[in-house]
């Protein structure tokens, strides 16, 4: 009888353990790539991505009742009442990058007096339309990992050579950016959609419908596929409140690679609105990207926000990141310029083929001329590491094509 009881107990224990193991297996979190594919039931039919608050410990280091911003703090050297800042960071909480200290509003006591650290960090949604700029977007994602909660990206089969091709979706399904796919919302924009709204407007309206629990004070960031934002800038915008809206970004500008720099007076180097709270986006711009990019705020909206202790001032973050225009392979430059629905280059005819036009594009790269045949600017040799996006700098072998002009020493006769 005793042996029978022991046997029953062993069987029961084995059964319980098996159920626990099955439970662990069944409820274990899927890797990001599988989560993305699960949400992407069909091309264009996705389930909702739910925003969640990140644990504050990932953003702040606590010392008693005091908080220090981890990104800007030497954590081991700090203590209660004493946040020790890393080089390049300022402020009582080590959360203000030096680049932000140089902005006009920070020097204005009336505007900077309300700036304060948030107890609950904003969630950040970044919308980025791009065509072929895979390397730049990969760098942007990896620069901002842990700060951006959702990346809304998309493509349209109207802007690629093959009308049925969706190369971004194919790359995602093949595992591109697999470690961050659980934060990606993919939006395919059809040609019929472009007749109603612009490509970017489609991304904003469709992408935001696939995100739940957006709070009014969450942060909306708009970039294009050629831009890489500085991590310290996004950290500040995410963790602080009281700064003026809307936010403009000024980028360091390059072309073809980080070996041709654009002059500051170029049409491509003008600062544009890049960030806003969702409350401001909704009330001041009515979710209209064209109005946001213009940065024009109606008088009644200005009075409304100012009365609620939200400064409304056009201001610019200097050197908020890097913009690398046409930093693509020759083939992708041809594809991108060919797909322009507005103002295509005069030298690129509808009948032009890649084989016939590629030598001409190579000459543009060699001599530093843009698509309008204007001189790009100054050639850059041996660019300093601190001038580069850190992710690209850490992966120079993979992104070697960004740092050296591939046609610099090529014979002009080989480019004809």
């Amino acid at each position: 009888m005793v042996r029978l009881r022991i046997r029953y107990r062993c069987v029961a224990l084995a059964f319980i353990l098996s159920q626990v193991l099955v439970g662990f297996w069944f409820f274990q979190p899927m890797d990001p790539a599988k989560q993305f594919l699960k949400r992407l039931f069909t091309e264009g039919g996705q389930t909702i991505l739910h925003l969640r608050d990140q644990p504050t410990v990932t953003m702040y280091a606590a010392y008693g009742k005091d908080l220090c911003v981890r990104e800007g703090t030497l954590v081991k050297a700090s203590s209660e009442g004493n946040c020790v800042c890393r080089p390049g960071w300022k402020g009582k909480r080590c959360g203000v990058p030096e680049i932000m200290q140089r902005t006009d509003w920070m020097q204005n006591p009336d505007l900077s007096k309300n700036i304060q650290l948030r107890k609950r960090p904003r969630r950040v949604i970044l919308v980025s339309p791009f065509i072929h700029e895979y390397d730049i977007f990969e760098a942007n994602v990896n620069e901002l990992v842990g700060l951006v909660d959702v990346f809304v990206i998309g493509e349209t089969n109207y802007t690629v050579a093959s009308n049925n091709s969706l190369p971004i979706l194919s790359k995602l399904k093949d595992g591109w950016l697999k470690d961050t796919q659980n934060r990606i919302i993919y939006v395919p924009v059809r040609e019929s959609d472009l007749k109603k709204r612009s490509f970017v407007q489609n991304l904003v309206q469709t992408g935001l419908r696939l995100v739940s629990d957006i709070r009014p004070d969450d942060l909306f960031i708009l970039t294009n596929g050629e831009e890489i934002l500085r991590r310290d800038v996004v950290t500040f915008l995410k963790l602080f409140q009281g700064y003026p809206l809307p936010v403009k970004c000024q980028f360091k500008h390059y072309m073809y690679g980080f070996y041709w720099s654009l002059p500051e007076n170029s049409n491509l180097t003008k600062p544009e609105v890049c960030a806003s709270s969702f409350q401001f986006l909704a009330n001041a711009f009515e979710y209209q990207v064209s109005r946001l990019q213009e940065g024009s705020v109606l008088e009644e909206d200005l009075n409304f926000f100012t009365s609620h202790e939200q400064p409304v001032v056009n201001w610019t973050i200097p050197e908020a990141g890097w913009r690398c225009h046409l930093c693509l392979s020759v083939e992708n430059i041809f594809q991108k310029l060919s797909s322009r629905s507005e103002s295509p280059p005069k030298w690129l005819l509808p009948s032009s083929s890649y084989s016939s036009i590629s030598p001409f594009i190579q000459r543009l790269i060699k001599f530093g001329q843009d698509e309008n045949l204007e001189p790009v600017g100054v050639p850059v040799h041996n660019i300093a590491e601190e001038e580069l996006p850190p992710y690209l700098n850490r992966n120079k072998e993979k992104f070697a094509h960004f740092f050296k002009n591939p046609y610099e020493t090529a014979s002009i006769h080989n480019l004809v």
Side-chain angles (χ1 to χ4, degrees):
M1 182 67 69
V2 173
R3 290 181 179 177
L4 189 60
R5 287 178 181 175
I6 293 174
R7 186 176 299 172
Y8 281 142
R9 289 175 181 174
C10 290
V11 171
L13 181 61
F15 177 77
I16 292 172
L17 288 175
S18 67
Q19 294 302 303
V20 170
L21 292 173
V22 169
F24 274 120
W25 174 83
F26 186 78
F27 291 106
Q28 64 180 335
M30 290 187 291
D31 65 65
K34 289 181 180 178
Q35 290 185 46
F36 171 77
L37 292 175
K38 182 179 179 181
R39 282 192 291 109
L40 192 69
F41 290 137
T42 60
E43 297 177 7
Q46 296 187 57
T47 55
I48 302 297
L49 194 155
H50 300 281
L51 281 177
R52 293 181 173 85
D53 289 315
Q54 299 179 35
T56 55
V57 68
T58 63
M59 297 285 113
Y60 304 131
Y63 302 92
K65 294 183 180 180
D66 292 329
L67 296 176
C68 303
V69 175
R70 284 188 177 274
E71 288 279 337
T73 302
L74 295 170
V75 176
K76 292 183 179 180
S78 301
S79 58
E80 187 171 359
N82 181 34
C83 297
V84 180
C85 299
R86 298 177 186 272
W89 292 83
K90 303 288 184 181
K92 182 179 178 181
R93 307 297 180 189
C94 295
V96 182
E98 287 183 352
I99 202 77
M100 204 64 66
Q101 293 274 356
R102 302 204 292 267
T103 59
D104 293 338
W105 73 269
M106 190 68 85
Q107 312 302 321
N108 186 335
D110 291 334
L111 294 177
S112 59
K113 64 182 179 181
N114 292 325
I115 190 73
Q116 57 182 313
L117 191 69
R118 298 173 57 89
K119 292 183 179 179
R120 184 173 65 180
R122 304 175 192 264
R123 282 83 62 85
V124 179
I125 298 178
L126 184 146
V127 177
S128 181
F130 66 102
I131 305 171
H132 298 297
E133 296 94 351
Y134 306 113
D135 290 344
I136 295 293
F137 183 73
E138 179 180 334
N140 199 28
V141 168
N142 282 281
E143 289 292 341
L144 304 181
V145 65
L147 295 175
V148 172
D149 298 85
V150 180
F151 295 91
V152 178
I153 65 174
E155 64 186 331
T156 169
N157 57 6
Y158 184 71
T159 61
V160 293
S162 173
N163 283 342
N164 295 317
S165 173
L166 292 171
I168 297 173
L169 179 60
S170 297
K171 284 178 69 68
L172 289 168
K173 287 183 175 180
D174 289 340
W176 182 53
L177 301 175
K178 63 179 181 180
D179 293 335
T180 53
Q181 284 189 6
N182 59 330
R183 296 179 181 270
I184 290 177
I185 287 178
Y186 168 81
V187 179
V189 179
R190 307 299 177 185
E191 184 176 350
S192 57
D193 299 325
L194 294 175
K195 295 177 181 178
K196 305 172 186 175
R197 298 180 294 267
S198 70
F199 183 25
V200 183
Q201 190 66 49
N202 270 288
L203 285 187
V204 171
Q205 292 188 202
T206 305
L208 296 185
R209 291 194 190 104
L210 296 170
V211 184
S212 73
D213 195 31
I214 297 175
R215 293 194 289 257
D217 59 346
D218 285 338
L219 191 68
F220 171 85
I221 294 181
L222 178 65
T223 69
N224 68 39
E226 299 182 335
E227 294 165 354
I228 303 172
L229 283 166
R230 289 173 58 114
R231 184 175 180 86
D232 55 357
V233 166
V234 178
T235 298
F236 174 83
L237 296 177
K238 182 182 180 79
L239 301 185
F240 282 83
Q241 63 187 25
Y243 51 79
L245 293 174
V247 181
K248 288 186 175 181
C249 289
Q250 175 73 58
F251 294 93
K252 292 183 178 180
H253 287 261
Y254 300 88
M255 192 161 188
Y256 302 127
F258 292 91
Y259 45 80
W260 285 114
S261 64
L262 272 66
E264 293 185 1
N265 60 353
S266 168
N267 289 331
L268 292 171
T269 61
K270 295 178 181 178
E272 294 182 348
V273 173
C274 60
S276 166
S277 70
F278 274 90
Q279 181 184 26
F280 198 76
L281 177 66
N283 293 330
F285 302 117
E286 298 178 326
Y287 288 100
Q288 296 302 308
V289 174
S290 58
R291 289 180 57 188
L292 173 74
Q293 292 172 326
E294 293 171 359
S296 56
V297 181
L298 300 177
E299 189 69 27
E300 56 266 29
D301 292 328
L302 190 150
N303 295 334
F304 171 82
F305 281 106
T306 302
S307 66
H308 286 72
E309 297 185 354
Q310 171 59 69
V312 179
V313 177
N314 268 315
W315 64 285
T316 300
I317 303 174
E319 299 182 8
W322 302 263
R323 184 181 183 190
C324 204
H325 182 50
L326 294 180
C327 293
L328 305 166
S329 67
V330 172
E331 182 176 1
N332 282 340
I333 291 175
F334 171 77
Q335 298 286 4
K336 181 170 182 175
L337 296 180
S338 299
S339 67
R340 279 189 181 175
S341 57
E342 299 179 1
S343 303
K346 295 180 180 179
W347 47 267
L348 189 58
L349 303 176
S351 59
S352 299
S353 65
Y354 169 67
S355 58
S356 65
I357 211 70
S358 59
F360 185 79
I361 297 175
Q362 293 169 4
R363 286 171 61 96
L364 296 181
I365 298 172
K366 175 180 174 65
F367 294 109
Q369 293 176 295
D370 64 18
E371 61 265 49
N372 298 315
L373 308 184
E374 296 293 333
V376 170
V378 182
V380 181
H381 300 287
N382 301 320
I383 186 170
E385 290 188 357
E386 59 269 18
E387 297 293 316
L388 293 170
Y391 178 76
L392 295 182
N393 193 47
R394 292 192 303 268
N395 296 274
K396 277 189 174 180
E397 291 186 6
K398 179 179 180 180
F399 300 105
H401 52 285
F402 281 133
F403 307 116
K404 183 176 175 58
N405 188 336
Y407 306 105
E408 183 178 13
T409 59
S411 169
I412 187 66
H413 302 291
N414 295 330
L415 302 180
V416 176

